[in-house]
């Protein structure tokens, strides 16, 4: 399943469901993710094209499982809320746009025990590939359960 919600004028939330190997710890799940084909995409364009050398704006080989962190539910929502009006944006995502994000989160977040975010953002340009700068905003979250193959991925972007 995949759904793209529009944000701002050229931004989006790309929500999709992945299938990974079942893991006992969230760290093992992140390792499985970083070694999967699903990790190898630029997120640019309407299709999730397989790009083995890239992950969003970053060189895939420069990312490690240590770049991810486990969040408490309140921290997860705080990080998401900060995305509504990123630094340097003159206005936030519209109420209608943000309501769609809230509705999606309300449906999926309670289904998962582990809420994980990629710590790296568009501010970590030292890990960018040649055109990584085109993603003016990049935030990624994974929602995972122990001993489950199903993972929900939320990527906020602006290009």
């Amino acid at each position: 399943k995949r759904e793209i919600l529009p944000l701002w004028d050229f931004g989006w939330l790309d929500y999709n469901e992945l299938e990974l190997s079942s893991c006992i710890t969230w760290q093992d799940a992140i390792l499985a993710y970083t070694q999967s084909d699903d990790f190898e995409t630029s997120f640019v364009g309407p299709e999730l094209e397989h790009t083995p050398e890239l992950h969003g704006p970053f060189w895939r080989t420069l990312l490690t499982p240590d770049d991810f962190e486990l969040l408490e539910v309140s921290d997860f929502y705080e990080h998401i809320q900060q995305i509504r009006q990123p630094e340097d944006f003159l206005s936030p995502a519209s109420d209608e746009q943000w309501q769609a994000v809230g509705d999606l989160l309300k449906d999926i977040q309670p289904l998962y025990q582990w809420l994980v975010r990629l710590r790296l953002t568009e501010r970590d340009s030292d890990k960018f590939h040649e055109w990584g700068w085109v993603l003016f905003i990049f935030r990624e979250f994974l929602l995972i359960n122990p001993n489950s193959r199903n993972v929900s991925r939320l990527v906020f972007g602006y290009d």
Side-chain angles (χ1 to χ4, degrees), residues 1 3-5 13-17 77 98-110 143 152-154 156:
K1 178 180 179 178
E3 186 176 347
I4 299 177
L5 302 177
L13 165 58
D14 187 337
Y15 158 68
N16 65 338
E17 295 178 3
Y77 280 103
W98 205 247
Q99 182 63 47
V101 171
D103 291 345
L104 174 64
L105 294 177
K106 183 176 62 173
D107 289 344
I108 66 169
Q109 182 277 314
L143 292 77
S152 286
R153 176 172 62 189
L154 303 168
F156 293 84

Side-chain angles (χ1 to χ4, degrees), residues 79-97:
H79 284 289
I80 297 286
Q81 188 59 40
Q82 291 171 0
I83 296 168
R84 182 170 185 189
Q85 184 168 359
E87 195 175 310
D88 300 329
F89 272 49
L90 297 177
S91 60
S94 72
D95 290 344
E96 182 180 330
Q97 291 171 336

